[in-house]
Structure formats: structure tokens, C-alpha cells
Amino acid sequence: MTRKLSLKLYLSIVATGLMAFCGVLIETAMNVTFPKLMTQFNVDTATVQWLTTGYLLIVSIIVPISGVLKRRFTTMRLFIVASVFFILGLLICTLANDFGILLVGRIIQGVGTGIALPLMFNIILEQAPLDKIGLLMGIGTLVTAIAPALGRGYGGLLIGLDWHLIFGILLVIMVIALVLGLVSIRQVSQTEKISLDLLSWLMVSIFFAGAILAFNNIESSLDTAAAYAIIAIIGLVAFIVRSKRIDNPIVKLAVFKNRSFNLHVLSFVIFQIMNVGAAFVLPNYLQIVAHTSSLTAGLLLLPGAAMGAVLAPVSGTIYDRLGARKPITTGLTLQVVGIILLIVEALSANPIPPLIGYILMMLGTGFAMSTVITNGLAQIPSSQNVDGNAVFNTLQQFAGALGTAAIALVVALAQVKTDYVHTTALGAQHAFILLLILQVINIICIFAGLHYGKSPQKASVGQ
């Protein structure tokens, strides 16, 4: 059967895309609310940050089993379950006036987001025409690329009115997404009666929880951080060993036998760390060093996020026509120039260089990131697309949490309360230097991946 772009396909992508957008948007929107929530609920920073860390942890635990869920249940059933969890979580948070209840609502949202995130890309890979894969993957990446920067402006605007509205408005959007999904999502593949290996899921959950807790404790206690790191390593090793011994693992590790795919995955992880790292540093820099308001800081980051997001489908079209090398090379070049500008101007306290530097970084992301995902999946057989997609979506969440913790640590190590403004600027400069080092590693990884990989014409994505 020849695949065609249909209205129902577009609507199904929009429905799942809206859910993914809301899930990513609220991650960054919540960060702006922390000072107010700390005062209202009389909790400290270490406690309030669990509204985001706990959410990301649940998402990271759920996403790895997306491959099993995709094979076991219909897309419509998964969409409905994800929608119910997300809407229920939003409703709880909209009405919450107790920190514990608010945290429960966020955890329930995390379950919904964890199920929803892979759905959009699975629909594209499974149902889209081969010559439109790059374009639609770019549109899908646009959804998750613009949400983080919009989140700060969205949260900054509503925090002055009522923080409950942050959840209430998204509740309306999610109801719209549910209606669109109910009329458009269709099933094109047969489900399988496979079971979820709970022991493997426990092991991978231990790994993610241990890794995130390790980074969150580095600044306060190295011994505690080391203990969590050891637990994480044990969980990972146990997961790998068990996955090799059972017939239906959560993620089929055969996907990692492809060297080019692995290099694309590593490049994607670095891209994600750089994106969340910059999105974490710059709002704090603009408020503390450049003395702007939280709303102004969010608005200054908006042009970069918007321009980068708009370029994502453009880069997908370039990929469909010319292959991966040109959009990736363009993207990496723009990012390097942007990072160097941020390093050079970090101590100036001028808000204009961060604005320009972030625009260049996001333009680079727009050109390259969706292409890295699409071309990475093109390196593996179509039968492994679900597992490959699960890998990318899982590591996106994990890299987000990891990148935020690592960059926050770099900035915090430089900060001194007696000279807070200057040392914050110095910490931001150190963070940008780290991003430049990561970019050098990224360049080596992705061009090695392109060298060892298949061309798009020979790839098996969507076939």
C-alpha cells in the first residue's frame, strides 16, 4: 500500500504533538514559579525542585518501555491512556493548594508525557511517505524545540496572575488534543501479545533515578552523589545482562550494534545537553547579571527559540532532497559561532550578546537536531525503528535532566555570595566553555557517524 499524506495523518501528528508540546512546555514553565511556590508552601529549594526533577524522573522511567507498549497496544489506546493521565494531572495541579497534592499531580502528568512523547514520532515513522520523513520529523522536532523557551515566558507571564493558570490553560489545550486524536489516529500495524519484563523495568528505573540523584547531590555531598552513582551503574549493568538473556527485552539491544546509529545517538545527547544548558544559564544570567525581569528574560530568549523551531521542518526538507551532511554542517557552524560569542561577552553584562548568541545556537539546533534523529534512525532496519525511537526519546529526557544538573553545578561552583553578580557571570562563562568542549566532541561524533553510515537513499527509515 502506497503511503500518502492525508488530513487524518496531519491531525494525528498535531494531536500527539500538542501533548508532547504541553509536556515539554510545563517543564520550563515550572522553574519560573519556584520562588513563589517556596513562599506559599514554606518549602526550600531542594524540596520545590522535585516538581521538575520528579516529573522528569517519571518521564525517563516510562519512555524506555514505549517500544513494548507500542507492540502490545494500539496507538489509539496508548493515546487515550496518555491523555487521561495528563489531563488528570493538570486538573489536580489546577486545583492544588497543598505542595504534596501539587507534586502528585506533576507525577501523574509525567506518566502521561512518558507515554505520549514517542507516539508522535512513531506515527511519522510508521505512516508517513518515505520522501516526507525528513520534513515531518522536522515538524515533530519543532514541537519539542520551541517549547522550552516558550515555557519561561509563559510561566513568567502567568505567575504574576495566578500560577494555577499555568496548568488550567494547558488543560484546555489537552482536551482539544484529545478530540483531534480521537477522530484521526488510526492503526496500521498488528499488535503482539508480549509481556513487560518488570525486573528489567525496575533495573532501568534504578539506573535513571540513581544517575539523576547523583548529579543533584554533587554540590551538597560528594559521598551521597557517589553512592547514587554506584547504584545507577549497578542498575545499568543488571539491565544489560538481563536484556541479553530474555526473549522480549524492553529495548532490543541489537539496535546498538550499529556504530553509525550509536554515534548519532551520542551527538543527539550532546545537542540536548547544550540546548537545556543554554536555556538554564541564560535566563539566570539575564536576571542576575543584566538585571532584567523574569518576563523580559523569557522574551529575550523567544526569538532564538522561534527561529530555530521554524528551521526544523526546513532542515527536514533539505535532508529529504540533499541528505544529512549539509544541514548538520550548517547547524554545527552556527552553534560554534554562537557559543564563542557567549564566551567572549559573558562578563559584559550586556543583554544583547546573549540574545544574538542564543539565536545562533537555536538556528544551529533547528538545522541539525532533527536531521541527526532522522538520519540516525535511517541507519537501522525499519523493524528496529520503535526501539531506536525509544532510545532517542528516553535519552532526550535523561540528557535534559543531566544537562541541567551539570550546567547548574558549573555555575554554582563559581558563585560567591559576597560578589554574586560578577561570579554568576564568571560561572556562566565557565558553562559556555564547557558547551564549546562538548561541541567539539559532538563534531567528531556526528561526522564519524556520517562517514560510517548509509546515505538517505539507501536507508530503511519508513520502508
Side-chain angles (χ1 to χ4, degrees):
M1 181 178 67
T2 302
R3 299 176 190 169
K4 297 180 180 179
L5 282 174
S6 65
L7 177 60
K8 282 195 171 183
L9 175 57
Y10 272 124
L11 288 178
S12 64
I13 294 172
V14 170
T16 52
L18 280 174
M19 195 185 305
F21 174 82
C22 291
V24 177
L25 176 80
I26 207 165
E27 291 177 24
T28 50
M30 284 305 298
N31 293 338
V32 182
T33 70
F34 284 174
K36 188 175 185 68
L37 295 178
M38 288 166 64
T39 301
Q40 179 172 340
F41 295 123
N42 193 28
V43 296
D44 57 19
T45 303
T47 301
V48 78
Q49 61 90 26
W50 274 102
L51 291 173
T52 294
T53 301
Y55 172 85
L56 285 173
L57 183 58
I58 294 299
V59 174
S60 297
I61 290 171
I62 296 295
V63 171
I65 65 172
S66 62
V68 174
L69 296 178
K70 171 67 173 59
R71 295 184 180 95
R72 180 68 179 83
F73 302 104
T74 64
T75 303
M76 178 66 80
R77 180 176 294 186
L78 291 175
F79 175 77
I80 292 173
V81 171
S83 298
V84 168
F85 271 104
F86 207 130
I87 290 172
L88 177 61
L90 288 173
L91 183 61
I92 291 172
C93 291
T94 302
L95 301 175
N97 284 304
D98 175 81
F99 181 80
I101 294 175
L102 182 62
L103 181 58
V104 169
R106 291 290 289 145
I107 289 173
I108 293 174
Q109 289 167 39
V111 176
T113 302
I115 298 172
L117 273 177
L119 284 182
M120 174 177 57
F121 292 110
N122 280 334
I123 289 173
I124 292 171
L125 291 169
E126 190 175 52
Q127 301 182 26
L130 180 60
D131 62 348
K132 300 295 183 182
I133 288 286
L135 170 64
L136 293 176
M137 289 291 284
I139 293 174
T141 305
L142 181 153
V143 169
T144 53
I146 195 173
L150 283 177
R152 285 176 173 81
Y154 173 76
L157 178 64
L158 294 178
I159 191 66
L161 301 173
D162 183 351
W163 60 264
H164 293 89
L165 291 174
I166 292 174
F167 303 99
I169 292 174
L170 293 187
L171 188 60
V172 176
I173 296 175
M174 280 302 306
V175 171
I176 294 172
L178 176 58
V179 173
L180 289 176
L182 288 174
V183 301
S184 64
I185 290 177
R186 60 193 180 95
Q187 187 71 19
V188 298
S189 61
Q190 294 292 324
T191 58
E192 307 173 36
K193 291 185 177 180
I194 59 175
S195 58
L196 172 64
D197 183 58
L198 295 178
L199 188 55
S200 294
W201 192 18
L202 174 62
M203 292 169 181
V204 78
S205 300
I206 290 172
F207 165 64
F208 282 121
I212 291 174
L213 290 170
F215 270 92
N216 280 348
N217 282 277
I218 287 177
E219 186 181 2
S220 59
S221 172
L222 285 177
D223 290 340
T224 303
Y228 279 125
I230 292 172
I231 292 172
I233 293 171
I234 292 172
L236 178 61
V237 172
F239 169 72
I240 293 172
V241 171
R242 179 157 179 82
S243 296
K244 291 180 177 180
R245 294 180 177 179
I246 59 178
D247 295 330
N248 292 305
I250 290 177
V251 176
K252 295 180 180 179
L253 299 183
V255 73
F256 292 109
K257 292 181 179 179
N258 186 295
R259 177 167 49 178
S260 179
F261 173 79
N262 294 341
L263 290 167
H264 279 75
V265 168
L266 182 56
S267 173
F268 172 77
V269 168
I270 295 175
F271 266 116
Q272 181 68 359
I273 291 175
M274 292 177 63
N275 287 340
V276 299
F280 173 83
V281 173
L282 289 174
N284 290 283
Y285 175 90
L286 289 168
Q287 292 177 72
I288 297 171
V289 180
H291 304 294
T292 68
S293 67
S294 59
L295 178 58
T296 301
L299 292 176
L300 283 171
L301 297 181
L302 182 58
M307 293 170 69
V310 168
L311 271 180
V314 175
S315 71
T317 302
I318 296 173
Y319 171 83
D320 288 330
R321 295 178 179 177
L322 302 176
R325 190 173 293 272
K326 288 187 177 181
I328 288 176
T329 301
T330 303
L332 290 171
T333 302
L334 289 169
Q335 282 206 325
V336 167
V337 175
I339 296 170
I340 291 175
L341 176 62
L342 292 172
I343 292 173
V344 172
E345 295 292 332
L347 302 182
S348 69
N350 184 342
I352 302 303
L355 169 65
I356 298 173
Y358 190 66
I359 287 175
L360 290 172
M361 284 194 67
M362 289 299 98
L363 287 174
T365 297
F367 266 113
M369 195 166 178
S370 66
T371 303
V372 170
I373 300 172
T374 308
N375 201 60
L377 292 171
Q379 308 310 311
I380 57 178
S382 58
S383 60
Q384 295 179 347
N385 274 344
V386 171
D387 295 291
N389 188 32
V391 169
F392 276 111
N393 279 284
T394 300
L395 291 180
Q396 181 180 25
Q397 301 308 306
F398 180 64
L402 180 66
T404 300
I407 296 301
L409 177 63
V410 171
V411 175
L413 289 175
Q415 288 175 321
V416 177
K417 290 185 177 180
T418 54
D419 191 7
Y420 195 61
V421 174
H422 175 72
T423 55
T424 297
L426 193 62
Q429 187 179 56
H430 293 168
F432 297 140
I433 291 173
L434 174 60
L435 294 185
L436 184 60
I437 294 171
L438 288 173
Q439 184 70 314
V440 172
I441 298 172
N442 190 12
I443 291 170
I444 295 171
C445 287
I446 191 58
F447 281 106
L450 292 173
H451 173 74
Y452 291 118
K454 306 173 186 175
S455 66
Q457 291 78 14
K458 296 179 181 179
S460 59
V461 170
Q463 292 180 340

